[in-house]
Amino acid sequence: MKPNKNVVSLAIILLLLIGCKTLPATPTGLVTEKAMVVSAREEASKIGVEILKKGGNAFDAMVATEMALVVAYPFAGNLGGGGFMVYRKSDGTTGALDYREKAPLSATKDMYLDSSGNVIPDMSTVGATAVGVPGTVAGMIAVHDKFGKLPLEEIFAPVIALAQNGIVVTQKQAEHFEAYRDEILEVNGGSTTFPIDAKPGDILKYPVLAKTLQRISEQGRDGFYKGETATSLAAFIQQNGGFVTVEDLAEYEAIWRTPIAFNYKDLRIISMSPPSSGGITLNQIFRMMEPYKVSKYGHNSEKEIQLFTEAARRAYADRNYYLGDPDFVDIPKETLLSDAYLKKRMESFSFKKATKSSDIQEGNVQMAESMETTHYSIVDHEGNAVSVTTTLNGAYGSKLYSDELGFFLNNEMDDFSAKAGVPNMFGLIGAEANSIAPEKRMLSSMTPTLVERDGKLWMVVGTPGGSTIITAVAQTILNAYEFNMSMQKAVDAPRFHHQWLPDVIMFEPQGFSNQLKDELRSKGYNINEERTPIIGKVNAIRILPDGHLEGGADRRGDDTAVGF
Ligand code: DON
């Protein structure tokens, strides 16, 4: 049978229309042909690229970039913290690495409570008592053992040189030093060797840190978890009243995990599995939004904000109750991610009126403006991609700085739920699933993510921001996909956030009109008025149809894309 002429013309018009809709956005960020690193500091991105140029792959560049951030960005770059990595190799295989800190062997469920059962202020956030067993070095060595091409010493060489020769203090870095000066002095005393009074343009050298890095470069994980470093570190933490021992350090292992992967329209999104809540919460938000014509509502329009907020409200409520370290708790993952469950969750949603989060606890919850974690994205010339988020938790972690080793220690123990129902420093309310136990990993929101489109790698994305990480990653993907923005624009666009409790929408200062906020208020939404926070500091890469790469380095920081 001959096809009808009209049907053929209609099909061609339809194809053209579909084609038009998916015409990729013109890049506005850095475009390179083969490879790219986007991180919080130019020095770190450059060192990652240097390793790629020497024949290293994305995994070698990951180790180099992460170690360079320890030197150039002590605010969050770390030896004394932990993180997560999601990868996709050029052959399409994916995986994830968990190098999250864990509770020391001596930890107990009530370790941060006084005799009346109340949370002791600052104990899980400031100083040695807040420190979890660091995972970063184990993570780097695990990645290198499994996928690395270049020798460890070659990867570490430019990082050690950076520590010896020094980094130039930027304006933003000097502002960080200033902002945290008093806290760092209070924890470490006035004789601290951390250069807290440095000014923009000063050159900071870290000879002690260079020696610590040298030991790791020569001895691998034993250069950190055993011998001189481990003995010094455990003694230092204990002298300051903390719990981490040489035994804790010797026993620490990074764990390879299966990422959370799901479809959203014609995207496939691959993100971090527990003990991060990122992947599951992202999955829930996207699948709750999927039935709606998001692109038609308009970017940051009232309807988009309502839909996103209601999906996030429901997803964070589940996050806080059900999620924890999968090696300790049973997470009802199948149910939480099933279509039937998510459909039911959204049955109560209407564009007419806000759903109320039960037990509103705003008022006694502080939403701190906090970008203290850091994320970097890498794509190499073979097409391998890594998405990595790493943290000390707070800015400079617990503020405890080892003069003998040259680095800060985390305050990740605060990511546990010290007491059910009491919010942590991100205002997150935890439950039994995230209670403290020896060797357990604390629940995280870090969401290193990769996105495939039509079966090919399309985006590498992630951000700091504590509890706001998940919503900032989700909005960056939506900006690029639903609203067809370039990578740089998708990263720079103003963001908003809702996390169930407290029941408020936070808006970044620019980009949301008073009229829009009034309309939302009239529908019963609470709007956070007191503060004008930054939400997230996203570093992302988009792969263009011709294989070129577009960087999205967040305007909110010193973040820089470098590539070739
Ligand atoms: O793992 C987490 O979710 C937190 N420790 C991340 C902390 C963070 O992003 C701080 N910066 N805003």
Side-chain angles (χ1 to χ4, degrees):
M1 200 179 78
K2 264 179 122 187
N4 177 319
K5 241 171 126 185
N6 290 343
V7 173
V8 174
S9 323
L10 194 68
I12 291 172
I13 291 169
L14 273 176
L15 279 173
L16 282 174
L17 279 176
I18 294 167
C20 284
K21 188 183 166 264
T22 53
L23 259 191
T26 310
T28 55
L30 175 76
V31 175
T32 65
E33 198 187 326
K34 294 195 173 116
M36 188 178 280
V37 179
V38 190
S39 83
R41 284 284 301 224
E42 188 176 6
E43 296 89 336
S45 300
K46 276 187 173 160
I47 284 182
V49 164
E50 184 182 329
I51 291 300
L52 292 174
K53 282 189 173 161
K54 280 189 178 152
N57 59 20
F59 301 97
D60 295 318
M62 168 185 170
V63 176
T65 306
E66 177 120 358
M67 292 298 96
L69 286 166
V70 180
V71 182
Y73 195 61
F75 189 67
N78 67 83
L79 291 177
F84 297 104
M85 180 269 266
V86 178
Y87 70 83
R88 182 184 186 280
K89 290 173 64 185
S90 52
D91 63 7
T93 51
T94 58
L97 181 66
D98 159 5
Y99 55 99
R100 179 71 161 166
E101 299 93 323
K102 60 182 196 177
L105 285 158
S106 65
T108 60
K109 188 175 170 189
D110 297 337
M111 64 193 281
Y112 296 116
L113 304 185
D114 64 17
S115 52
S116 321
N118 297 318
V119 176
I120 302 169
D122 295 343
M123 193 177 170
S124 68
T125 52
V126 184
T129 50
V131 180
V133 185
T136 295
V137 175
M140 295 308 107
I141 302 303
V143 165
H144 185 255
D145 283 350
K146 189 161 174 163
F147 294 121
K149 269 169 84 177
L150 297 181
L152 207 55
E153 278 159 315
E154 197 171 336
I155 297 171
F156 270 69
V159 181
I160 294 168
L162 184 70
Q164 285 164 342
N165 299 332
I167 56 121
V168 180
V169 178
T170 65
Q171 179 66 36
K172 287 204 167 81
Q173 189 163 30
E175 284 164 16
H176 285 160
F177 288 171
E178 176 70 27
Y180 293 97
R181 185 178 185 279
D182 293 349
E183 285 176 62
I184 290 174
L185 289 178
E186 200 171 313
V187 171
N188 299 283
S191 61
T192 181
T193 54
F194 187 72
I196 197 67
D197 290 317
K199 298 282 174 282
D202 287 357
I203 294 176
L204 297 183
K205 298 182 182 181
Y206 294 99
V208 175
L209 175 59
K211 287 206 179 111
T212 303
L213 290 165
Q214 186 73 41
R215 282 195 293 279
I216 301 167
S217 153
E218 286 164 9
Q219 301 164 36
R221 56 166 289 146
D222 286 358
F224 185 87
Y225 291 99
K226 290 194 176 148
E228 193 182 335
T229 314
T231 314
S232 166
L233 185 57
F236 175 65
I237 294 172
Q238 285 165 40
Q239 276 153 23
N240 283 281
F243 310 107
V244 175
T245 62
V246 272
E247 197 187 351
D248 282 314
L249 293 169
E251 284 198 3
Y252 185 88
E253 295 285 351
I255 301 175
W256 292 98
R257 306 243 183 224
T258 304
I260 299 287
F262 60 95
N263 296 331
Y264 172 76
K265 300 182 182 175
D266 60 353
L267 300 181
R268 182 151 185 82
I269 299 177
I270 301 143
S271 191
M272 193 62 216
S273 42
S276 175
S277 60
I280 288 185
T281 310
L282 201 64
N283 186 336
Q284 286 197 318
I285 292 174
F286 271 104
R287 298 290 293 184
M288 283 191 260
M289 291 180 72
E290 192 174 32
Y292 297 84
K293 293 192 170 64
V294 180
S295 61
K296 297 262 182 308
Y297 301 153
H299 176 243
N300 282 349
S301 63
E302 188 181 340
K303 277 184 117 173
E304 192 219 346
I305 292 170
Q306 279 190 269
L307 175 62
F308 188 93
T309 296
E310 296 301 347
R313 184 200 306 280
R314 288 158 177 78
Y316 272 83
D318 283 348
R319 174 209 185 274
N320 295 359
Y321 189 77
Y322 291 109
L323 304 191
D325 182 343
D327 299 334
F328 284 72
V329 291
D330 284 330
I331 298 172
K333 197 176 101 185
E334 266 68 49
T335 308
L336 289 175
L337 300 180
S338 73
D339 287 344
Y341 175 78
L342 294 172
K343 190 164 170 245
K344 200 156 177 33
R345 284 294 263 170
M346 283 301 266
E347 269 171 10
S348 53
F349 165 61
S350 144
F351 279 113
K352 292 198 185 101
K353 198 164 162 283
T355 310
K356 285 280 146 206
S357 300
S358 54
D359 293 336
I360 296 168
Q361 301 203 355
E362 65 198 291
N364 57 7
V365 174
Q366 290 296 315
M367 298 284 295
E369 176 178 328
S370 50
M371 296 305 126
E372 296 106 16
T373 299
T374 191
H375 178 87
Y376 56 95
S377 295
I378 303 179
V379 176
D380 71 16
H381 53 287
E382 292 171 8
N384 302 304
V386 297
S387 184
V388 191
T389 315
T390 181
T391 191
L392 287 163
N393 194 25
Y396 310 102
S398 62
K399 319 290 185 275
L400 187 65
Y401 181 80
S402 163
D403 292 327
E404 241 175 62
L405 299 169
F407 61 85
F408 281 102
L409 289 156
N410 70 81
N411 60 347
E412 219 73 59
M413 290 297 285
D414 189 63
D415 272 349
F416 278 118
S417 173
K419 183 179 177 181
V422 176
N424 75 355
M425 67 187 222
F426 296 109
L428 288 167
I429 315 273
E432 184 56 33
N434 190 31
S435 63
I436 306 172
E439 297 201 81
K440 189 174 173 185
R441 281 151 149 93
M442 53 296 273
L443 185 64
S444 172
S445 302
M446 291 190 282
T447 312
T449 300
L450 302 165
V451 187
E452 292 175 357
R453 192 169 189 168
D454 304 324
K456 289 194 199 135
L457 180 68
W458 181 57
M459 191 189 287
V460 186
V461 59
T463 182
S467 53
T468 68
I469 290 175
I470 304 166
T471 47
V473 167
Q475 284 168 35
T476 307
I477 297 170
L478 289 170
N479 290 349
Y481 178 73
E482 295 283 5
F483 306 112
N484 204 29
M485 291 185 198
S486 73
M487 191 73 268
Q488 187 64 54
K489 282 190 177 152
V491 165
D492 286 345
R495 293 189 270 263
F496 60 94
H497 173 73
H498 194 287
Q499 60 178 43
W500 175 52
L501 291 177
D503 188 359
V504 289
I505 310 181
M506 286 164 66
F507 288 101
E508 283 192 318
Q510 270 106 39
F512 302 94
S513 68
N514 287 336
Q515 189 193 345
L516 173 78
K517 290 183 196 167
D518 285 345
E519 270 157 21
L520 287 166
R521 253 187 228 103
S522 73
K523 289 181 174 170
Y525 289 94
N526 303 312
I527 310 261
N528 186 11
E529 297 286 7
E530 305 94 58
R531 316 192 54 257
T532 50
I534 291 169
I535 299 176
K537 204 154 69 70
V538 177
N539 283 328
I541 300 173
R542 174 171 67 128
I543 292 81
L544 304 172
D546 64 358
H548 282 54
L549 309 169
E550 186 203 359
D554 206 314
R555 64 175 166 86
R556 295 163 179 84
D558 287 331
D559 306 64
T560 309
V562 178
F564 60 91

